[in-house]
Structure formats: structure tokens, C-alpha cells
């Protein structure tokens, strides 16, 4: 096991194994505290459109992207026009802000923006998220920020923090001793804290290939190569096993840029991946790849809270 893997293992185990990182931890605590204090002192200018941040305080995947698509659906049901802004991690554009559409190369915008844009959602990408928000002003009634909880340069009108029921907040330490970007006390200042696996679940809704769309249950009993370049690959593998799939695991780093050789396993078994990975692999035209489309399903109580928050923000005027 490599050094990085051992450090991450200790994030979700005994912090004692990472205490040798205390000098770096102290630097992180000082810098992050000063940074937040600075933006509390020098508040960013309000944007022309209300902003709701969907982010986390811990490193790793928590199901933010399916939750964002759920929020888009709920907003549309309320007659609220919604757009999404993102840093565009994994992409590199010659100019920003970048308005993303279905034809925008993933190499320019990143995988998550490409996925959201493929669903017809207005998306703007910019490392400076405040600038991306302004690019959507006048086009939408509300902007959702995909991550960016710690991007204090961007004004926000509401915050949703997302965590995972299995990982929680790990050993409770800030980086690099633990997985936290901010202390757990940060939850007190957000509008909602939603736990994936408790307040909402990620449900598979379709299995899709180049050729056809079918029910997820069609995978039951099959042995597949499961490919996942997301923040928490184990969650995807667990979802497949719950469908009765025999899984050969192939985890990759989050936002991995796939190449042909990553999907060659010298057999005829299907290759199943997440939709976020599919947007990077669809041009490869590999004959046996498909993806599992998923949807976030909130509890009735949480759905009501989300609808109330969306309507409250729609009435917000930053002017």
C-alpha cells in the first residue's frame, strides 16, 4: 500500500497513524482559518442572481451530482429556472467563464459539467465561481454551485452540506491528518445537512449502452467489469452488487482521464461505469461499455425542506 493510500485509510480509521502529519495539519488550520476570517471581514459582492451551494466539508464523493440533478427537477416543478456553476475540475479552457453545452469537450469543461450539460441544464465553468455566476445572470432564477462550499470569494444565499452515511466525517480531524476541509462545527452555519443513505438514497434508474436503454435489473446475474473514477468508487460497486451483479472492481482516481487501455480486460465481459465516467468514454466507442444512470431520491420530509428552500431563494433579491 502506497503512502497516500495509507494516509487515506487512516482518515477513516485511527487518526494516530497520521499524527506524524501534525506540522502540516497546523499550517492548514492556520491558513484556512485566516482565509475564512478574511472573507468574513471583506465580504464578497452579492451576485445578480441567488446562489445555493451544494458542497461538503470532507474529501471524497458524497453523491452531490445526483442531488443537484434532483434539485434541478424539484426547481423546475416549482417553475424556477436553474443553472449550475462549477470549477470544472479536470478540464482546461483557453478562456473563462465557459458556457457549457453538449458539444463542449470534456477536456475543456470537466466531467461533471459535461454530464449536467448533457441533461440540458445551463452550466457555466470558471475557477472563479463568482464570475461563472455572473455569466448565468439573466438566464436563470437560481444558480446551484456544484461544490464550492469553501470558495468564499463567491457570495451565497444558501448552503447544503452533503455527507455519506458510511464514511461520515472520518476520524474528525482536518487535513491532512483527517479528511475534513473544515471542522464539523461548520454544519451549524449551513441551511441543510443531508446524509446520503439516510436523508436521500441514490437509486439506479436505467442501464444504457451505445445501442439501447434497459432496466437496471437486466444486469442481474451477470459478471461485469465495474469501472469507477469517482470520489467513492466503493459506493458504485455496492450499488451494482445490490442489483445482483457479480462485480470485478476497477477503481480509478476521481476525475480520471480514461484511455482505451483502461477498458481492455482481454475478455468479452460487459464494462459498466458511472454516467460521470461515461461522458469521458463515450467517444472511445468501446463495443461493450455501458453506464448505470442513477437518481437521488430524498425522503418525503427532506423533499419538502428542499422545496421550501428553493422557493425561499427564488424570492431572494441580491440587488
Amino acid at each position: 500500500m502506497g503512502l497516500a493510500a495509507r494516509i487515506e485509510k487512516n482518515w477513516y480509521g485511527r487518526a494516530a497513524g497520521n499524527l506524524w502529519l501534525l506540522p502540516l495539519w497546523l499550517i492548514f488550520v492556520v491558513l484556512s482559518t485566516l482565509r475564512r476570517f478574511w472573507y468574513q471581514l471583506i465580504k464578497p459582492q452579492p451576485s445578480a442572481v441567488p446562489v445555493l451551494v451544494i458542497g461538503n466539508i470532507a474529501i471524497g464523493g458524497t453523491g452531490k451530482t445526483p442531488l443537484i440533478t434532483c434539485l434541478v427537477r424539484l426547481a423546475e416543478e416549482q417553475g424556477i429556472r436553474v443553472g449550475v456553476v462549477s470549477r470544472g475540475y479536470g478540464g482546461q479552457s483557453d478562456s473563462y467563464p465557459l458556457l457549457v453545452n453538449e458539444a463542449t469537450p470534456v477536456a475543456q469543461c470537466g466531467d461533471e459539467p459535461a454530464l449536467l450539460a448533457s441533461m440540458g441544464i445551463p452550466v457555466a465553468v470558471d475557477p472563479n465561481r463568482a464570475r461563472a455566476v455572473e455569466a448565468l445572470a439573466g438566464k436563470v432564477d437560481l444558480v446551484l454551485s456544484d461544490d464550492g462550499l469553501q470558495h468564499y470569494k463567491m457570495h451565497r444565499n444558501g448552503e447544503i452540506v452533503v455527507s455519506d452515511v458510511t464514511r461520515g466525517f472520518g476520524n474528525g480531524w482536518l487535513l491532512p491528518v483527517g479528511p475534513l476541509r473544515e471542522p464539523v462545527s461548520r454544519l451549524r452555519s449551513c441551511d441543510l445537512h443531508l446524509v446520503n443513505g439516510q436523508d436521500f438514497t441514490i437509486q439506479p434508474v436505467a442501464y444504457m449502452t451505445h445501442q439501447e436503454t434497459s432496466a437496471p435489473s437486466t444486469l442481474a446475474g451477470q459478471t461485469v467489469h465495474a469501472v469507477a473514477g469517482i470520489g467513492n468508487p466503493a459506493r458504485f460497486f455496492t450499488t451494482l452488487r445490490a442489483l445482483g451483479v457479480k462485480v470485478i472492481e476497477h477503481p480509478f482516481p476521481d476525475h480520471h482521464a480514461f484511455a482505451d487501455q483502461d477498458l481492455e480486460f482481454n475478455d468479452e465481459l460487459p464494462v459498466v461505469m458511472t454516467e460521470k465516467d461515461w461522458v469521458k468514454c463515450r467517444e472511445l466507442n468501446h463495443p461493450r461499455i455501458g453506464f448505470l444512470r442513477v437518481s437521488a431520491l430524498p425522503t418525503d420530509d427532506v423533499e419538502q425542506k428542499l422545496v421550501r428552500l428553493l422557493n425561499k431563494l427564488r424570492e431572494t433579491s441580491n440587488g
Side-chain angles (χ1 to χ4, degrees), residues 194 198-201 296-306:
L194 302 183
Q198 177 178 302
D199 297 309
F200 69 97
T201 55
L297 180 64
T299 65
D300 291 342
D301 178 60
V302 168
E303 181 169 322
Q304 291 174 15
K305 290 179 180 178
L306 292 172

Side-chain angles (χ1 to χ4, degrees), residues 1-21 171 176-177:
M1 182 184 295
L3 180 59
R6 287 202 300 271
I7 292 173
E8 183 172 350
K9 182 180 179 181
N10 291 329
W11 284 355
Y12 302 99
R14 295 179 66 251
N18 283 349
L19 291 184
W20 61 277
L21 293 167
N171 59 29
V177 175

Side-chain angles (χ1 to χ4, degrees), residues 211-232:
Q211 294 80 28
E212 60 182 358
T213 299
S214 56
S217 58
T218 58
L219 290 169
Q222 295 191 51
T223 299
V224 307
H225 292 285
V227 172
I230 58 176
N232 185 3

Side-chain angles (χ1 to χ4, degrees), residues 28-240:
F28 179 83
V29 169
V30 171
L31 292 179
S32 60
T33 300
L34 288 174
R35 181 174 176 274
R36 184 157 190 219
F37 176 75
W38 171 257
Y39 282 110
Q40 287 177 332
L41 190 65
I42 310 296
K43 294 185 181 296
Q45 288 295 317
S47 57
V49 60
V51 176
L52 173 61
V53 176
I54 298 90
N56 52 22
I57 63 172
I59 296 290
T62 56
K64 291 191 309 295
T65 302
L67 182 61
I68 286 172
T69 60
C70 172
L71 283 165
V72 171
R73 174 183 61 81
L74 293 174
E76 289 176 345
E77 291 173 357
Q78 301 299 309
I80 304 172
R81 297 175 304 161
V82 176
V84 176
V85 297
S86 170
R87 173 191 171 192
Y89 190 89
Q92 183 63 49
S93 176
D94 293 332
S95 62
Y96 292 105
L98 173 67
L99 294 175
V100 183
N101 58 46
E102 291 187 18
T104 306
V106 177
Q108 287 186 13
C109 65
D111 46 22
E112 287 164 349
L115 170 58
L116 295 167
S118 73
M119 300 177 179
I121 301 169
V123 178
V125 163
D126 197 321
N128 181 342
R129 284 186 175 86
R131 201 164 52 189
V133 171
E134 296 306 318
L136 292 178
K139 301 180 177 67
V140 299
D141 305 313
L142 175 65
V143 168
L144 307 179
S145 176
D146 182 4
D147 214 347
L149 194 67
Q150 292 78 36
H151 190 79
Y152 290 112
K153 189 176 181 180
M154 176 183 64
H155 178 82
R156 72 280 312 271
N157 302 86
E159 295 177 330
I160 297 175
V161 175
V162 188
S163 63
D164 183 82
V165 71
T166 55
R167 286 188 166 191
F169 300 114
N171 59 29
W173 283 70
L174 292 174
L175 290 165
V177 175
L180 297 184
R181 300 165 173 170
E182 296 185 276
V184 176
S185 59
R186 177 69 169 82
L187 298 177
R188 293 199 292 265
S189 63
C190 70
D191 294 86
L192 291 173
H193 169 214
L194 302 183
V195 181
N196 181 357
Q198 177 178 302
D199 297 309
F200 69 97
T201 55
I202 306 297
Q203 300 290 336
V205 295
Y207 175 59
M208 307 179 75
T209 67
H210 285 292
Q211 294 80 28
E212 60 182 358
T213 299
S214 56
S217 58
T218 58
L219 290 169
Q222 295 191 51
T223 299
V224 307
H225 292 285
V227 172
I230 58 176
N232 185 3
R235 189 172 63 237
F236 177 61
F237 303 146
T238 299
T239 298
L240 286 173

